[in-house]
Amino acid sequence: MGIISYIDEFFHRRWPDGFVCPQCDHRAYYLIQTRKSPLYQCRLCRHQTSVTAGTIMDKSRTPLEKWAAAIDLLGSTNGINAKQLSAFIGVSHKVAWTMLRKFRGAIRELEAERRLAGTVHAGLRALAPKAIFTFLPHRHYRCERVVGVGAAVDSLGMPSELKINVVRTEDLYPGWKELTGQGKERIASEVASPGSTIQWLNDWRMERSPLRECFHEANRWLIRLFNGIGSAYLQSYLDEFCFRWNAAAKGGSLRDEWNRLCFRTQRTDRLPARSVA
């Protein structure tokens, strides 16, 4: 497939219902074909854009066919690491790692905005090496990373939407896996939307809650694909797991979810529309 064909494909991926100006939402445009990648100029505000402008692929030197292959691969598997992506689409490990970082950065933006609604169950779990011996279960050992597991649940307590956030050390009582009052308020504000009902689960209730299996599923996913994750990137990988889990819970197409993610543009810099002279 040539570059022109991929531009046509990306046009329909970004604007499946036809062109929409990212600045003013106008639908009519002029096509400017003075360079390798064409520009689309809004007839109303004259804003110029391309099929990748404002997306995670903006200004990337990686060919469009590699991005298309990566999007399809991420949407058809249960996760992939940089080594696997490099081999599958034929790019260097560094390029594959950079592409995955961009994908996960876009997910992080979505997760930072997303909140759970309705009845929300939340509790703490800890990620730790298998060899650790926790003589005191509530003690916070140095090698453990505490995460808050939250889910919107139905009337039977079954999760329908999931969020997992790394808990900051300052939100825990020193040396213990227990949230301070301030920490609990912060976690609640990050997990649940205003008006939601939050039920905090202690260790006993977490062990008997469906959230326990959600956490173990996330832990197995991290180990299987990445052999565990360091603290610096842990949140971005947990965000990807939740993105995938929530897409599956909705029963929609994972490929469509990845496609929408990749062509999602920032709209904070929208300009006022100008009439054409």
Side-chain angles (χ1 to χ4, degrees), residues 95-107 232-233 236-237:
V95 169
W97 185 87
T98 300
M99 293 172 77
L100 288 173
R101 286 291 294 158
K102 286 180 176 290
F103 286 127
R104 292 177 184 127
I107 294 176
Y233 300 113
S236 65
Y237 288 87

Side-chain angles (χ1 to χ4, degrees), residues 32-164:
I32 302 173
Q33 292 183 309
T34 58
R35 61 178 197 165
K36 186 176 181 180
S37 179
L39 294 174
Y40 307 90
Q41 179 172 300
C42 176
R43 286 178 178 264
L44 180 63
C45 72
R46 301 180 183 176
H47 176 74
Q48 294 181 350
T49 189
S50 69
V51 291
T52 59
T55 71
I56 65 171
M57 298 160 285
D58 192 11
K59 300 178 182 178
S60 171
R61 296 181 181 179
T62 304
L64 293 184
E65 59 265 30
K66 302 298 184 182
W67 281 107
I71 294 170
D72 292 341
L73 188 61
L74 286 164
S76 61
T77 63
N78 191 32
I80 194 167
N81 57 41
K83 182 179 179 180
Q84 293 168 329
L85 181 62
S86 171
F88 273 115
I89 69 173
V91 296
S92 69
H93 185 275
K94 181 178 180 181
V95 169
W97 185 87
T98 300
M99 293 172 77
L100 288 173
R101 286 291 294 158
K102 286 180 176 290
F103 286 127
R104 292 177 184 127
I107 294 176
R108 176 87 284 265
E109 291 182 4
L110 284 177
E111 287 298 302
E113 299 171 1
R114 186 174 64 88
R115 298 292 184 273
L116 303 175
T119 301
V120 177
H121 288 181
L124 299 184
R125 295 283 86 181
L127 293 165
K130 290 184 178 179
I132 183 175
F133 175 69
T134 54
F135 181 72
L136 296 173
H138 297 288
R139 186 79 179 175
H140 184 197
Y141 293 87
R142 182 176 297 179
C143 60
E144 291 181 314
R145 286 158 295 172
V146 181
V147 296
V149 184
V153 300
D154 60 19
S155 58
L156 299 177
M158 299 302 296
S160 58
E161 189 176 0
L162 184 68
K163 278 184 76 73
I164 305 178

